[in-house]
Amino acid sequence: MTHIRSFEGKHPMIDPTAWIDETAVVIGEVTLGAGASVWPGCVIRGDIHRIEIGARTNIQDGSVLHVSHDSRFMPGGAPLIVHEDVTVGHQVVLHGCEIRHHCLIGIGARVLDRAVLEPFTLLGAGSLVTPGQVLEGGWLWLGAPARRVRVLTDREREYLEYVAENYVRLVARYRAGSTGASTTGRPT
């Protein structure tokens, strides 16, 4: 069985320039944009709603991405939309939320259904964004539940751009080294 698979006729749509490690699992209605990357041990499960991952976004090791289905408890459900140039740190859980461009989600953070992170949000490691919470962009947010701490410095804003670009460069190094990962689910 491949690590990139369909579910009930819904197939992952993966840009040819995207990178998916062979130990990651991508299922169902998932779109992965140009230059995006998914690292070892990630699970991206678009089985009951859609998941969209934008260009140059990186989903780091051990992260879990899922959604909520349409029901009387959540009319319309909650898709997961991660825009371009986003960095999702190690072991993050994103569930039915929206992460706008140039955000960084710190290691072990959790972002729940219908929460929104506006552009240039830095969410600290271990933080919890509760259902429906909206994090104003341009700020550092920390804690459980996440609270606004301070305005980002110019250097931090630059870093949010840098880290996404750096992961695109890292993918090129992995491709050059023939590590066995591919976008097809078959070793190279």
Side-chain angles (χ1 to χ4, degrees):
M1 184 174 280
T2 180
H3 67 186
I4 301 170
R5 55 186 183 257
S6 300
F7 180 77
E8 295 182 346
K10 293 179 180 170
H11 313 282
M13 303 297 292
I14 301 165
D15 186 276
T17 63
W19 173 264
I20 301 173
D21 186 85
E22 65 185 1
T23 65
V25 178
V26 179
I27 301 170
E29 191 176 358
V30 176
T31 303
L32 200 59
S37 57
V38 179
W39 295 89
C42 291
V43 176
I44 301 176
R45 189 158 54 96
D47 51 1
I48 56 175
H49 215 311
R50 76 185 188 285
I51 296 175
E52 300 172 12
I53 299 171
R56 298 169 308 281
T57 286
N58 61 88
I59 311 297
Q60 295 177 16
D61 313 59
S63 292
V64 175
L65 282 62
H66 197 230
V67 289
S68 287
H69 69 282
D70 177 26
S71 72
R72 65 187 175 100
F73 303 102
M74 187 168 291
L80 173 58
I81 301 169
V82 184
H83 293 259
E84 64 278 353
D85 300 301
V86 171
T87 295
V88 177
H90 308 294
Q91 295 185 337
V92 165
V93 174
L94 299 180
H95 201 281
C97 55
E98 182 176 2
I99 312 297
R100 298 198 177 137
H101 67 87
H102 292 99
C103 290
L104 187 148
I105 314 302
I107 294 169
R110 307 292 187 248
V111 185
L112 302 181
D113 288 349
R114 296 186 174 163
V116 176
L117 276 64
E118 293 180 344
F120 289 94
T121 294
L122 176 55
L123 180 63
S127 295
L128 171 66
V129 181
T130 58
Q133 188 175 5
V134 177
L135 303 191
E136 182 181 356
W139 289 79
L140 168 64
W141 292 76
L142 297 172
R147 66 192 184 291
R148 195 169 64 178
V149 175
R150 62 171 171 75
V151 173
L152 295 181
T153 65
D154 289 342
R155 185 169 173 84
E156 288 167 330
R157 289 176 70 96
E158 271 183 63
Y159 181 72
L160 297 180
E161 294 176 4
Y162 164 82
V163 73
E165 294 167 3
N166 190 55
Y167 264 85
V168 171
R169 289 189 294 272
L170 185 58
V171 165
R173 292 172 59 196
Y174 268 75
R175 283 202 165 102
S178 298
T179 63
S182 71
T183 59
T184 64
R186 293 182 210 97
T188 55

